[in-house]
Amino acid sequence: MTTALTGTVHMWITYLLVIASIIGFASERIRIEVTSLLILAAMLATFELFPITNFNEENPLNSTRLLIGFANPALVAVLALQVIGNGLRRSGALDWVLKLFLKHTGKRSKLAIFISFATVFVVSPFVNNTPVVVIFIPILETISRRHFMSPSSLMMPLSFIAILAGMTTLVGSSTNLLVSGTLGQLGEEPLGFFDFTIPGLILAGTGLLYILFVMPHLLPQRHSPFQRFITDRSRHFIAQLTVGSEAKLIGANAKFNLLGIRGTRLLLVQRGEHSVGTPFSNLKICQGDILIVMATQTALAETQTKFPRLMFSASGKLDLPKDENDHKTWLTNDQLVVEAMVAPGSGLAGHTLKEIGFRARYNCLVLGIERHSRVIRRHLTDTMLQEGDVLVLQGNTQTLDNMREQRNLILLDGSIQPVPSARNAKNAGIIFTATIITASTGILPIAAAAVIGVVLMLITRVLTLPQATAALDQRIFLMVGTSLALGAAMLETGAASYLAQGVIAVVGSFGPVVVLSTLFLLVAFLTNIMSNNATAIIFTPIALSLASSLHTSPTPFILAVLFGANCSFATPISYQTNLLVMSPGYYRFKDFIRAGGPLVIILWIAFSLFIPRYYGILH
């Protein structure tokens, strides 16, 4: 048995739920997932037990409408793109692009960041900015890792720059197209491609100044667990490798950067009973040589893929499979690289890896060893382990899980990363490129292209199903689904229209400039709570009505809606690119309020000062 409430009560309940969600998401005293579920449950109970009815005597806020946001194409696109990005990272598909890019920028991190941001700003006005951000997330992740920077200092600026650039042309964002389409439906002239480029560039330029000079002081400095563990630049490991029939190396001159992999250095070449260290003179590498290399964990994992016949031999002869297919099993998709510390009181201390028979005992390869940042210039096979030594190990998930149950080694879980596969890298690169082209050219919607891309990555085994599902961020799923339900409630209860009419009624007597400024601010506020597309649809006819009642040109009022709806900076739920960078940037909801909120205010001031003068409505 349900009981009807008045529309006004429904409206004020919606306002309370919106306020509660903003406070809950921003404070994070309760986990975002829990807050989302509580708000969603409150809406389901309210609008099902006390329904509102439309002209057809139907409940427009029934469970179907409130839950449909969890299947929203924008949310599906974001989640699918997260999975595809995970496939790129796991496979190392963009490594060659990143190497070429970093080769030209070298150690100049500011130059690398400038080129990345400049490219995003130039491309985003002509291509949907979501694929652009997807491309640059792994690039900036690599830059932050190589230069020991916090990814949280780069990811939010990446999203904001893409949004700002998208404000300058008709195809820069879906919001611009939607405003133009709504004008056509209302019998007005649609917007042209470059109709608002000049005011768009003024606002974008103002926003860029804020991002470059003010925003860095407001962003948090957070690192991934893995980055926090390896922040010490001296953390390098010593690896022992035996040269097999590796055409890339045989006959090459021995030199410190022999492998050509960033983060590696050749220390010693052992040939029979003779050892040759730096300088290597004219020594040429031969099959059977043992290389003692200093390298980071990431470089060791990359070495496995780049040189499949350069065999790690730290544990003795058992690390040298005679069957080439046996060796290839160590390059399969399920292989992981992890750091493990020799525990205090471990039974391994005081024994060499050869004596232990490490591979036979644990079914793991020892890729390298670190001992208090000291360089060990001898065979690792004969190196006696000590308590506190850190080993770089390679094995599959089951092997590592079995190792956790023993007390000899402490696995440092924050250091786990997959071994990249050359074949998987090629497949991932092709799938990613096809997805971006298909989405950016409009052949398929972004959501459809991204889902198909995920399926192809699963079919080609770039990713396993557990790896794909692990890439999904449940915070984003629940927060966005709940926020879309709140947006629906704002529309159907009349809360959005009531707020707009009330504000405009208060300032309407102060003239067109004040009304125009207020309209922009109101749209910018609501676009960070509701979806930007819904906000654009609601306010485009309101803007036309206001211009008509004030006997002035409708263009600046239309642009107030367009630019205001693009001010999706103050919350992560307001735009797809914000959601995409939330996980790699390790952001919280309140980070967007702190860093993006001031940008909304700055753009409001810039709009209010420039647009009335540019369109001549100061009188």
Side-chain angles (χ1 to χ4, degrees), residues 31 38 41 213 254 278 314:
R31 290 178 57 182
L38 289 174
F213 298 107
T278 55

Side-chain angles (χ1 to χ4, degrees), residues 88-134:
L88 287 175
R89 286 189 290 273
R90 282 182 172 273
S91 65
L94 294 179
D95 283 355
W96 68 274
V97 177
L98 295 171
K99 287 177 187 175
L100 182 64
F101 180 72
L102 295 171
K103 178 181 179 181
H104 286 87
T105 57
K107 297 182 178 180
R108 294 168 292 181
S109 60
K110 291 183 178 179
L111 175 62
I113 295 169
F114 173 79
I115 293 175
S116 299
F117 286 164
T119 304
V120 171
F121 189 81
V122 170
V123 173
S124 290
F126 306 100
V127 179
N128 187 287
N129 48 25
T130 300
V132 176
V133 171
V134 172

Side-chain angles (χ1 to χ4, degrees), residues 366-600:
V366 179
L367 305 187
I369 182 172
E370 186 232 21
R371 177 173 296 163
H372 307 304
S373 301
R374 292 195 319 225
V375 175
I376 304 173
R377 295 177 181 271
R378 68 169 75 95
H379 275 206
L380 297 189
T381 310
D382 302 320
T383 299
M384 190 173 294
L385 294 179
Q386 298 178 6
E387 295 177 2
D389 285 351
V390 178
L391 309 179
V392 178
L393 306 177
Q394 179 185 329
N396 58 35
T397 302
Q398 183 62 47
T399 297
L400 299 182
D401 287 341
N402 293 338
M403 192 175 293
R404 284 188 179 91
E405 298 176 2
Q406 304 187 33
R407 298 182 178 274
N408 288 324
L409 292 167
I410 300 174
L411 266 62
L412 306 172
D413 289 326
S415 66
I416 294 177
Q417 63 172 311
V419 176
S421 165
R423 179 175 175 273
N424 288 337
K426 181 180 179 180
N427 290 337
I430 293 172
I431 293 169
F432 174 75
T433 303
T435 300
I436 296 301
I437 292 175
T438 303
S440 59
T441 56
I443 297 174
L444 287 175
I446 293 178
V451 170
I452 293 172
V454 170
V455 173
L456 290 175
M457 283 197 169
L458 292 172
I459 292 174
T460 57
R461 294 198 59 77
V462 171
L463 288 171
T464 63
L465 186 59
Q467 289 168 347
T469 54
L472 301 175
D473 191 329
Q474 63 183 8
R475 293 182 310 159
I476 289 176
F477 177 70
L478 291 172
M479 183 171 62
V480 173
T482 299
S483 299
L484 291 173
L486 282 171
M490 289 281 289
L491 287 173
E492 299 297 343
T493 62
S497 298
Y498 181 80
L499 179 62
Q501 294 169 3
V503 172
I504 297 302
V506 171
V507 300
S509 61
F510 292 96
V513 174
V514 175
V515 173
L516 183 66
S517 177
T518 304
L519 177 64
F520 178 97
L521 186 61
L522 181 59
V523 173
F525 170 74
L526 288 177
T527 200
N528 285 281
I529 300 175
M530 303 163 54
S531 78
N532 51 354
N533 290 342
T535 307
I537 292 172
I538 292 172
F539 280 92
T540 298
I542 293 176
L544 290 174
S545 176
L546 286 172
S548 176
S549 63
L550 293 169
H551 306 289
T552 187
S553 169
T555 301
F557 289 86
I558 293 301
L559 294 186
V561 174
L562 185 145
F563 291 138
N566 274 292
C567 285
S568 308
F569 306 112
T571 65
I573 60 176
S574 55
Y575 199 67
Q576 294 180 43
T577 57
N578 290 349
L579 293 171
L580 285 170
V581 301
M582 191 172 182
S583 292
Y586 302 95
Y587 296 121
R588 299 169 184 165
F589 192 97
K590 63 183 178 183
D591 295 329
F592 285 86
I593 296 177
R594 182 172 60 188
L599 178 56
V600 175

